[in-house]
């Protein structure tokens, strides 16, 4: 087992935005084997909304801009997807 001070000192450099970004990347990698552009677009729109609606007291402003960018890219991916 690791001492709690070692784990705490490692986690102090990260915040909610980093955890959300990690979950977004893992979810995107998990969707890729499905080879469905619509599912990828829905994933992008969902995480764009999550990033945009996360309170700014928990994350820096960069994650708001990331959310807005994902909210623009997601519908573009959805509309260009084939049936």
């Amino acid at each position: 087992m690791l001492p709690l001070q070692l784990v705490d000192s490692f986690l102090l450099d990260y915040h909610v935005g980093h955890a959300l970004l990690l979950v977004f990347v893992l979810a995107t990698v998990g969707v890729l084997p499905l080879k469905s552009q619509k599912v990828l677009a829905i994933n992008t729109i969902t995480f764009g909304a999550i990033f945009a609606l996360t309170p700014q007291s928990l994350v820096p402003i960069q994650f708001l801009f990331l959310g807005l960018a994902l909210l623009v890219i997601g519908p573009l991916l959805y509309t260009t997807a084939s049936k």
Side-chain angles (χ1 to χ4, degrees):
M1 301 265 326
L2 292 172
L4 281 176
Q5 288 86 8
L6 181 64
V7 174
D8 189 41
S9 65
F10 176 76
L11 292 177
L12 279 177
D13 297 332
Y14 300 103
H15 49 74
V16 174
H18 290 117
L20 287 174
L21 187 61
L22 177 66
V23 172
F24 171 63
V25 168
L26 291 176
T28 303
V29 169
V31 164
L32 288 178
L34 297 176
K35 296 181 182 172
S36 172
Q37 191 174 353
K38 286 191 177 189
V39 175
L40 181 64
I42 291 170
N43 181 41
T44 305
I45 293 168
T46 303
F47 275 98
I50 289 172
F51 279 119
L53 295 175
T54 303
Q56 292 303 307
S57 61
L58 298 176
V59 295
I61 193 84
Q62 294 90 351
F63 290 99
L64 170 66
F65 294 134
L66 174 64
L68 294 176
L70 291 175
L71 283 174
V72 170
I73 293 169
L76 289 173
L77 281 173
Y78 193 83
T79 57
T80 59
S82 62
K83 294 182 181 186

Coordinates of all heavy atoms in Angstrom, one line a residue:
M1 N 0.8 -1.2 0.0 CA 0.0 0.0 0.0 C 0.9 1.2 0.0 O 1.9 1.3 0.6 CB -0.9 0.0 1.2 CG -1.8 -1.1 1.4 SD -3.5 -1.0 0.8 CE -3.9 0.7 1.1
L2 N 0.4 2.3 -0.7 CA 1.1 3.5 -0.7 C 0.7 4.4 0.4 O -0.5 4.4 0.9 CB 0.7 4.3 -2.0 CG 1.2 3.7 -3.3 CD1 0.6 4.4 -4.5 CD2 2.7 3.7 -3.4
P3 N 1.6 5.2 1.0 CA 1.2 6.1 2.0 C 0.3 7.2 1.5 O 0.4 7.6 0.4 CB 2.6 6.7 2.5 CG 3.6 6.0 1.8 CD 3.0 5.2 0.7
L4 N -0.6 7.6 2.3 CA -1.6 8.6 1.9 C -1.0 9.9 1.5 O -1.5 10.6 0.7 CB -2.6 8.8 3.0 CG -3.7 7.8 3.1 CD1 -4.6 8.0 4.3 CD2 -4.5 7.7 1.8
Q5 N 0.1 10.3 2.2 CA 0.8 11.6 1.8 C 1.3 11.5 0.4 O 1.3 12.5 -0.3 CB 1.9 11.8 2.8 CG 1.5 12.2 4.2 CD 1.3 11.0 5.1 OE1 1.6 9.9 4.7 NE2 0.7 11.2 6.2
L6 N 1.8 10.4 0.0 CA 2.3 10.3 -1.4 C 1.2 10.4 -2.4 O 1.3 11.1 -3.4 CB 3.0 8.9 -1.6 CG 3.6 8.6 -3.0 CD1 4.8 9.6 -3.2 CD2 4.1 7.2 -3.0
V7 N 0.1 9.8 -2.2 CA -1.1 9.9 -3.1 C -1.6 11.3 -3.0 O -2.0 11.8 -4.1 CB -2.2 8.9 -2.6 CG1 -3.4 9.0 -3.5 CG2 -1.6 7.4 -2.8
D8 N -1.7 11.9 -1.9 CA -2.2 13.2 -1.8 C -1.3 14.3 -2.5 O -1.8 15.1 -3.2 CB -2.4 13.6 -0.3 CG -3.1 14.9 -0.1 OD1 -4.1 15.1 -0.8 OD2 -2.7 15.7 0.8
S9 N 0.0 14.1 -2.3 CA 0.9 15.1 -3.0 C 0.8 14.9 -4.5 O 1.0 15.9 -5.3 CB 2.3 14.9 -2.5 OG 2.8 13.6 -2.9
F10 N 0.5 13.7 -5.0 CA 0.3 13.5 -6.4 C -1.0 14.1 -6.9 O -1.0 14.7 -8.0 CB 0.4 12.0 -6.8 CG 0.1 11.7 -8.2 CD1 1.1 11.9 -9.1 CD2 -1.1 11.2 -8.6 CE1 0.9 11.6 -10.5 CE2 -1.3 10.9 -9.9 CZ -0.3 11.1 -10.9
L11 N -2.0 14.0 -6.2 CA -3.4 14.4 -6.6 C -3.6 15.9 -6.4 O -4.5 16.4 -7.0 CB -4.4 13.6 -5.9 CG -4.5 12.1 -6.3 CD1 -5.6 11.5 -5.4 CD2 -4.8 12.0 -7.8
L12 N -2.8 16.6 -5.7 CA -2.9 18.0 -5.5 C -2.8 18.8 -6.7 O -3.3 19.9 -6.9 CB -2.0 18.5 -4.4 CG -2.4 18.3 -3.0 CD1 -1.3 18.7 -2.0 CD2 -3.7 18.9 -2.6
D13 N -2.0 18.3 -7.7 CA -1.8 19.1 -9.0 C -3.0 18.9 -9.9 O -3.0 19.6 -11.0 CB -0.5 18.5 -9.6 CG 0.7 18.8 -8.8 OD1 0.7 19.8 -8.0 OD2 1.7 18.0 -8.9
Y14 N -4.0 18.1 -9.6 CA -5.1 17.9 -10.6 C -6.4 18.3 -10.0 O -6.5 18.5 -8.8 CB -5.1 16.4 -10.9 CG -3.9 15.9 -11.5 CD1 -3.0 15.1 -10.8 CD2 -3.6 16.1 -12.8 CE1 -1.8 14.7 -11.3 CE2 -2.4 15.7 -13.4 CZ -1.5 14.9 -12.6 OH -0.4 14.5 -13.2
H15 N -7.3 18.6 -10.9 CA -8.7 19.1 -10.4 C -9.7 18.4 -11.2 O -9.4 17.5 -12.0 CB -8.8 20.6 -10.4 CG -8.3 21.2 -11.7 ND1 -9.1 21.1 -12.9 CD2 -7.2 21.9 -12.0 CE1 -8.4 21.7 -13.8 NE2 -7.3 22.2 -13.4
V16 N -11.0 18.8 -11.1 CA -12.1 18.2 -11.7 C -12.0 18.2 -13.3 O -12.3 17.3 -13.9 CB -13.4 18.9 -11.3 CG1 -14.6 18.3 -12.0 CG2 -13.6 18.7 -9.8
G17 N -11.4 19.3 -13.8 CA -11.3 19.4 -15.2 C -10.4 18.3 -15.8 O -10.7 17.8 -16.9
H18 N -9.3 18.0 -15.1 CA -8.4 17.0 -15.6 C -9.1 15.6 -15.5 O -8.9 14.8 -16.4 CB -7.2 16.9 -14.7 CG -6.3 18.1 -14.9 ND1 -6.0 19.0 -13.9 CD2 -5.6 18.5 -16.0 CE1 -5.2 19.9 -14.4 NE2 -4.9 19.7 -15.7
A19 N -9.9 15.4 -14.5 CA -10.6 14.1 -14.4 C -11.7 14.0 -15.5 O -11.8 12.9 -16.1 CB -11.3 14.0 -13.0
L20 N -12.4 15.1 -15.8 CA -13.4 15.0 -16.9 C -12.7 14.8 -18.2 O -13.2 14.1 -19.1 CB -14.2 16.3 -16.9 CG -15.2 16.5 -15.8 CD1 -15.8 17.9 -15.9 CD2 -16.3 15.5 -15.9
L21 N -11.5 15.5 -18.4 CA -10.8 15.3 -19.7 C -10.3 13.8 -19.8 O -10.4 13.3 -20.9 CB -9.6 16.2 -19.7 CG -8.8 16.3 -21.0 CD1 -9.7 16.8 -22.2 CD2 -7.6 17.2 -20.8
L22 N -9.9 13.2 -18.8 CA -9.5 11.8 -18.8 C -10.7 10.9 -19.2 O -10.6 10.0 -20.0 CB -8.9 11.4 -17.5 CG -8.5 9.9 -17.4 CD1 -7.3 9.6 -18.3 CD2 -8.1 9.6 -16.0
V23 N -11.8 11.2 -18.6 CA -13.0 10.4 -18.9 C -13.5 10.6 -20.3 O -13.9 9.6 -21.0 CB -14.2 10.7 -17.9 CG1 -15.5 10.1 -18.3 CG2 -13.8 10.3 -16.5
F24 N -13.3 11.8 -20.8 CA -13.7 12.1 -22.2 C -12.8 11.3 -23.2 O -13.3 10.7 -24.1 CB -13.6 13.6 -22.5 CG -13.7 14.0 -23.9 CD1 -14.9 13.7 -24.6 CD2 -12.7 14.6 -24.6 CE1 -15.0 14.0 -26.0 CE2 -12.8 14.9 -26.0 CZ -14.0 14.6 -26.6
V25 N -11.5 11.3 -22.9 CA -10.6 10.6 -23.8 C -10.8 9.1 -23.7 O -10.9 8.4 -24.7 CB -9.1 11.0 -23.4 CG1 -8.1 10.0 -24.0 CG2 -8.8 12.4 -23.7
L26 N -11.1 8.6 -22.5 CA -11.3 7.2 -22.4 C -12.7 6.8 -23.1 O -12.8 5.7 -23.7 CB -11.4 6.7 -20.9 CG -10.0 6.8 -20.2 CD1 -10.2 6.4 -18.7 CD2 -9.0 5.8 -20.8
A27 N -13.7 7.6 -22.9 CA -14.9 7.4 -23.6 C -14.8 7.4 -25.1 O -15.4 6.6 -25.8 CB -16.0 8.3 -23.1
T28 N -14.0 8.4 -25.6 CA -13.8 8.5 -27.1 C -13.1 7.3 -27.6 O -13.4 6.7 -28.6 CB -13.0 9.8 -27.4 OG1 -13.8 10.9 -26.9 CG2 -12.9 9.9 -28.9
V29 N -12.0 6.8 -26.9 CA -11.3 5.6 -27.3 C -12.2 4.4 -27.2 O -12.2 3.5 -28.0 CB -10.1 5.4 -26.4 CG1 -9.4 4.1 -26.6 CG2 -9.1 6.5 -26.7
G30 N -13.1 4.4 -26.2 CA -14.1 3.3 -26.1 C -15.1 3.2 -27.2 O -15.6 2.2 -27.6
V31 N -15.4 4.4 -27.8 CA -16.4 4.5 -28.9 C -15.8 4.2 -30.2 O -16.5 3.7 -31.1 CB -17.0 5.9 -28.9 CG1 -17.8 6.2 -30.1 CG2 -18.0 6.1 -27.7
L32 N -14.5 4.4 -30.4 CA -13.9 4.2 -31.7 C -14.1 2.8 -32.3 O -14.3 2.7 -33.5 CB -12.4 4.6 -31.6 CG -12.1 6.0 -31.5 CD1 -10.6 6.3 -31.3 CD2 -12.7 6.8 -32.6
P33 N -14.0 1.7 -31.5 CA -14.2 0.4 -32.2 C -15.6 0.2 -32.7 O -15.8 -0.7 -33.6 CB -14.0 -0.6 -31.0 CG -13.1 0.1 -30.0 CD -13.5 1.6 -30.2
L34 N -16.6 1.0 -32.3 CA -17.9 0.8 -32.9 C -18.0 1.4 -34.3 O -18.9 1.0 -35.0 CB -18.9 1.6 -32.0 CG -19.1 1.1 -30.6 CD1 -20.0 2.0 -29.8 CD2 -19.6 -0.3 -30.6
K35 N -17.1 2.2 -34.7 CA -17.0 2.8 -36.1 C -18.3 3.5 -36.4 O -18.7 3.4 -37.6 CB -16.6 1.7 -37.1 CG -15.3 1.2 -36.9 CD -14.9 0.1 -37.9 CE -13.5 -0.4 -37.6 NZ -13.2 -1.5 -38.4
S36 N -18.9 4.2 -35.5 CA -20.1 4.9 -35.7 C -19.8 6.4 -35.5 O -19.5 6.8 -34.3 CB -21.2 4.4 -34.8 OG -22.4 5.3 -34.9
Q37 N -20.0 7.2 -36.5 CA -19.7 8.6 -36.4 C -20.8 9.3 -35.6 O -20.6 10.3 -34.9 CB -19.6 9.2 -37.8 CG -19.1 10.6 -37.7 CD -18.9 11.2 -39.1 OE1 -19.0 10.5 -40.1 NE2 -18.5 12.5 -39.2
K38 N -22.0 8.7 -35.6 CA -23.1 9.3 -34.8 C -22.9 9.2 -33.3 O -23.1 10.1 -32.5 CB -24.5 8.8 -35.3 CG -24.9 9.3 -36.6 CD -26.3 8.9 -36.9 CE -26.8 9.5 -38.2 NZ -28.2 9.4 -38.5
V39 N -22.4 8.0 -32.9 CA -22.2 7.7 -31.5 C -21.0 8.6 -31.1 O -21.1 9.2 -29.9 CB -21.9 6.2 -31.3 CG1 -21.5 6.0 -29.8 CG2 -23.1 5.4 -31.6
L40 N -20.0 8.8 -31.9 CA -18.9 9.7 -31.6 C -19.4 11.1 -31.4 O -18.9 11.8 -30.5 CB -17.8 9.5 -32.6 CG -16.6 10.4 -32.4 CD1 -15.8 10.0 -31.1 CD2 -15.6 10.3 -33.6
A41 N -20.3 11.5 -32.3 CA -20.8 12.9 -32.2 C -21.6 13.1 -31.0 O -21.5 14.1 -30.3 CB -21.7 13.1 -33.5
I42 N -22.4 12.1 -30.6 CA -23.2 12.2 -29.4 C -22.3 12.3 -28.2 O -22.6 13.0 -27.2 CB -24.3 11.1 -29.3 CG1 -25.3 11.2 -30.4 CG2 -24.9 11.0 -27.9 CD1 -26.2 10.0 -30.5
N43 N -21.3 11.5 -28.2 CA -20.3 11.5 -27.1 C -19.6 12.9 -27.0 O -19.5 13.5 -25.9 CB -19.2 10.4 -27.3 CG -18.2 10.4 -26.3 OD1 -18.5 10.5 -25.1 ND2 -16.9 10.2 -26.7
T44 N -19.3 13.5 -28.1 CA -18.7 14.8 -28.2 C -19.6 15.9 -27.7 O -19.2 16.8 -26.9 CB -18.2 15.1 -29.6 OG1 -17.4 14.1 -30.1 CG2 -17.5 16.4 -29.7
I45 N -20.9 15.8 -28.1 CA -21.9 16.8 -27.6 C -22.1 16.7 -26.1 O -22.2 17.7 -25.4 CB -23.2 16.6 -28.4 CG1 -23.0 17.0 -29.9 CG2 -24.3 17.4 -27.8 CD1 -24.2 16.5 -30.8
T46 N -22.2 15.4 -25.7 CA -22.4 15.2 -24.2 C -21.3 15.8 -23.4 O -21.5 16.5 -22.4 CB -22.6 13.7 -23.9 OG1 -23.6 13.2 -24.7 CG2 -22.8 13.5 -22.5
F47 N -20.1 15.5 -23.8 CA -18.9 16.0 -23.0 C -18.8 17.5 -23.2 O -18.3 18.2 -22.3 CB -17.7 15.3 -23.3 CG -17.5 14.0 -22.4 CD1 -17.9 12.8 -23.0 CD2 -17.1 14.1 -21.1 CE1 -17.8 11.6 -22.2 CE2 -17.0 12.9 -20.4 CZ -17.4 11.7 -20.9
G48 N -19.2 18.0 -24.3 CA -19.1 19.5 -24.5 C -20.1 20.2 -23.5 O -19.7 21.2 -22.9
A49 N -21.3 19.6 -23.4 CA -22.2 20.2 -22.4 C -21.7 20.0 -21.0 O -21.9 21.0 -20.2 CB -23.6 19.5 -22.6
I50 N -21.1 18.9 -20.7 CA -20.5 18.7 -19.3 C -19.4 19.7 -19.0 O -19.4 20.4 -18.0 CB -20.0 17.3 -19.1 CG1 -21.2 16.3 -19.1 CG2 -19.2 17.1 -17.9 CD1 -20.8 14.8 -19.1
F51 N -18.5 19.9 -20.0 CA -17.5 20.9 -19.8 C -18.0 22.3 -19.7 O -17.5 23.1 -18.9 CB -16.4 20.8 -20.9 CG -15.4 19.7 -20.8 CD1 -15.3 18.7 -21.7 CD2 -14.6 19.7 -19.7 CE1 -14.4 17.7 -21.6 CE2 -13.6 18.7 -19.6 CZ -13.6 17.7 -20.5
A52 N -19.0 22.6 -20.5 CA -19.6 24.0 -20.5 C -20.4 24.3 -19.2 O -20.4 25.4 -18.8 CB -20.5 24.2 -21.7
L53 N -21.0 23.3 -18.7 CA -21.9 23.5 -17.5 C -21.1 23.2 -16.1 O -21.7 23.5 -15.1 CB -23.1 22.5 -17.6 CG -24.0 22.8 -18.7 CD1 -25.1 21.8 -18.8 CD2 -24.6 24.2 -18.6
T54 N -19.9 22.8 -16.2 CA -19.1 22.6 -14.9 C -18.9 24.0 -14.3 O -18.4 24.9 -15.0 CB -17.8 21.9 -15.2 OG1 -18.1 20.7 -15.9 CG2 -17.0 21.6 -13.9
P55 N -19.1 24.2 -13.0 CA -18.9 25.5 -12.4 C -17.5 25.9 -12.5 O -16.5 25.1 -12.4 CB -19.3 25.2 -10.9 CG -20.1 24.0 -10.9 CD -19.7 23.2 -12.1
Q56 N -17.3 27.2 -12.8 CA -15.9 27.7 -12.9 C -15.1 27.8 -11.6 O -13.9 28.0 -11.7 CB -16.0 29.1 -13.6 CG -16.5 29.1 -15.0 CD -15.7 28.2 -15.9 OE1 -14.5 28.4 -15.9 NE2 -16.3 27.3 -16.5
S57 N -15.8 27.5 -10.5 CA -15.0 27.5 -9.3 C -14.3 26.2 -9.1 O -13.3 26.1 -8.3 CB -16.0 27.7 -8.1 OG -16.9 26.6 -8.1
L58 N -14.6 25.2 -10.0 CA -14.0 23.9 -9.9 C -12.9 23.7 -11.0 O -12.0 22.9 -10.8 CB -15.0 22.7 -10.0 CG -16.1 22.7 -9.0 CD1 -17.1 21.6 -9.3 CD2 -15.5 22.4 -7.6
V59 N -13.1 24.4 -12.1 CA -12.1 24.2 -13.2 C -11.7 25.5 -13.8 O -12.4 26.5 -13.6 CB -12.8 23.3 -14.3 CG1 -13.1 21.9 -13.9 CG2 -14.0 24.0 -14.9
P60 N -10.5 25.6 -14.4 CA -10.1 26.9 -15.1 C -11.0 27.2 -16.3 O -11.7 26.3 -16.8 CB -8.7 26.6 -15.5 CG -8.2 25.4 -14.7 CD -9.5 24.6 -14.4
I61 N -10.9 28.4 -16.8 CA -11.7 28.8 -17.9 C -11.4 28.1 -19.2 O -12.3 28.0 -20.1 CB -11.5 30.4 -18.1 CG1 -12.6 31.0 -19.0 CG2 -10.1 30.7 -18.6 CD1 -13.8 31.3 -18.3
Q62 N -10.2 27.5 -19.3 CA -9.9 26.7 -20.6 C -10.9 25.6 -20.8 O -11.2 25.3 -22.0 CB -8.5 26.2 -20.5 CG -7.4 27.2 -20.4 CD -7.0 27.6 -19.0 OE1 -7.7 27.3 -18.1 NE2 -6.0 28.4 -18.9
F63 N -11.4 25.0 -19.8 CA -12.3 23.9 -19.9 C -13.7 24.3 -20.4 O -14.4 23.6 -21.1 CB -12.4 23.1 -18.6 CG -11.1 22.3 -18.3 CD1 -10.2 22.8 -17.4 CD2 -10.9 21.1 -19.0 CE1 -9.0 22.1 -17.2 CE2 -9.7 20.4 -18.7 CZ -8.8 20.9 -17.8
L64 N -14.1 25.6 -20.1 CA -15.3 26.2 -20.7 C -15.1 26.3 -22.2 O -16.0 26.0 -22.9 CB -15.6 27.5 -20.0 CG -16.7 28.3 -20.7 CD1 -18.0 27.6 -20.5 CD2 -16.7 29.7 -20.1
F65 N -14.0 26.8 -22.6 CA -13.7 27.0 -24.0 C -13.7 25.6 -24.7 O -14.1 25.5 -25.9 CB -12.5 27.8 -24.3 CG -12.6 29.2 -23.8 CD1 -11.6 29.8 -23.1 CD2 -13.7 30.0 -24.1 CE1 -11.7 31.1 -22.6 CE2 -13.8 31.3 -23.7 CZ -12.8 31.9 -22.9
L66 N -13.1 24.6 -24.1 CA -13.1 23.3 -24.6 C -14.5 22.8 -24.8 O -14.9 22.2 -25.8 CB -12.3 22.3 -23.8 CG -12.3 20.9 -24.2 CD1 -11.6 20.7 -25.5 CD2 -11.6 20.0 -23.1
G67 N -15.4 23.0 -23.8 CA -16.8 22.6 -23.9 C -17.5 23.3 -25.1 O -18.3 22.7 -25.8
L68 N -17.2 24.6 -25.2 CA -17.9 25.3 -26.3 C -17.4 24.8 -27.7 O -18.2 24.7 -28.6 CB -17.6 26.8 -26.2 CG -18.3 27.5 -25.0 CD1 -17.9 28.9 -24.9 CD2 -19.8 27.3 -25.0
A69 N -16.1 24.5 -27.8 CA -15.6 24.0 -29.0 C -16.2 22.6 -29.3 O -16.6 22.3 -30.5 CB -14.1 23.9 -29.0
L70 N -16.3 21.8 -28.3 CA -16.9 20.4 -28.5 C -18.4 20.6 -28.9 O -18.9 19.8 -29.6 CB -16.8 19.6 -27.3 CG -15.4 19.1 -26.9 CD1 -15.3 18.4 -25.6 CD2 -14.8 18.3 -28.0
L71 N -19.1 21.6 -28.3 CA -20.5 21.8 -28.7 C -20.7 22.3 -30.1 O -21.7 22.2 -30.7 CB -21.1 22.8 -27.7 CG -21.5 22.2 -26.3 CD1 -22.0 23.4 -25.4 CD2 -22.6 21.2 -26.5
V72 N -19.6 22.8 -30.7 CA -19.7 23.2 -32.1 C -19.3 22.0 -33.0 O -19.9 21.8 -34.0 CB -18.7 24.4 -32.4 CG1 -18.6 24.7 -33.9 CG2 -19.3 25.7 -31.7
I73 N -18.3 21.3 -32.6 CA -17.8 20.2 -33.4 C -18.8 19.0 -33.4 O -19.0 18.3 -34.4 CB -16.4 19.7 -32.9 CG1 -15.4 20.8 -33.2 CG2 -16.0 18.4 -33.5 CD1 -14.1 20.6 -32.5
G74 N -19.4 18.7 -32.3 CA -20.3 17.6 -32.2 C -21.5 17.6 -33.2 O -21.7 16.6 -33.9
P75 N -22.2 18.7 -33.3 CA -23.3 18.7 -34.3 C -22.8 18.6 -35.7 O -23.5 18.0 -36.6 CB -24.0 20.0 -34.0 CG -23.7 20.3 -32.6 CD -22.4 19.8 -32.4
L76 N -21.6 19.2 -36.0 CA -21.0 19.0 -37.3 C -20.7 17.6 -37.6 O -21.0 17.1 -38.8 CB -19.8 19.9 -37.4 CG -19.9 21.4 -37.5 CD1 -18.6 22.1 -37.4 CD2 -20.7 21.8 -38.7
L77 N -20.2 16.9 -36.7 CA -19.9 15.4 -36.9 C -21.2 14.7 -37.1 O -21.3 13.8 -37.9 CB -19.2 14.8 -35.6 CG -17.7 15.1 -35.5 CD1 -17.2 14.6 -34.1 CD2 -17.0 14.4 -36.6
Y78 N -22.3 15.0 -36.3 CA -23.6 14.3 -36.4 C -24.2 14.5 -37.8 O -24.8 13.6 -38.4 CB -24.5 14.7 -35.3 CG -25.7 13.9 -35.2 CD1 -25.6 12.7 -34.4 CD2 -26.9 14.2 -35.8 CE1 -26.7 11.8 -34.3 CE2 -28.0 13.3 -35.6 CZ -27.9 12.2 -34.9 OH -29.0 11.3 -34.8
T79 N -24.2 15.8 -38.3 CA -24.8 16.0 -39.6 C -24.1 15.5 -40.8 O -24.7 15.2 -41.8 CB -25.0 17.6 -39.8 OG1 -23.8 18.2 -39.7 CG2 -26.0 18.1 -38.7
T80 N -22.8 15.3 -40.6 CA -22.0 14.7 -41.7 C -21.9 13.2 -41.7 O -21.4 12.6 -42.6 CB -20.5 15.3 -41.7 OG1 -19.9 15.0 -40.5 CG2 -20.5 16.8 -41.9
A81 N -22.5 12.6 -40.6 CA -22.5 11.1 -40.5 C -23.4 10.5 -41.6 O -24.5 11.1 -41.9 CB -22.9 10.7 -39.1
S82 N -23.0 9.4 -42.1 CA -23.9 8.7 -43.0 C -24.9 7.9 -42.3 O -24.8 7.6 -41.1 CB -23.1 7.8 -43.9 OG -22.4 6.8 -43.2
K83 N -26.0 7.6 -43.0 CA -27.1 6.8 -42.4 C -26.6 5.4 -42.2 O -26.8 4.7 -41.4 CB -28.3 6.8 -43.2 CG -28.9 8.2 -43.3 CD -30.2 8.2 -44.2 CE -30.7 9.6 -44.3 NZ -32.0 9.7 -44.9

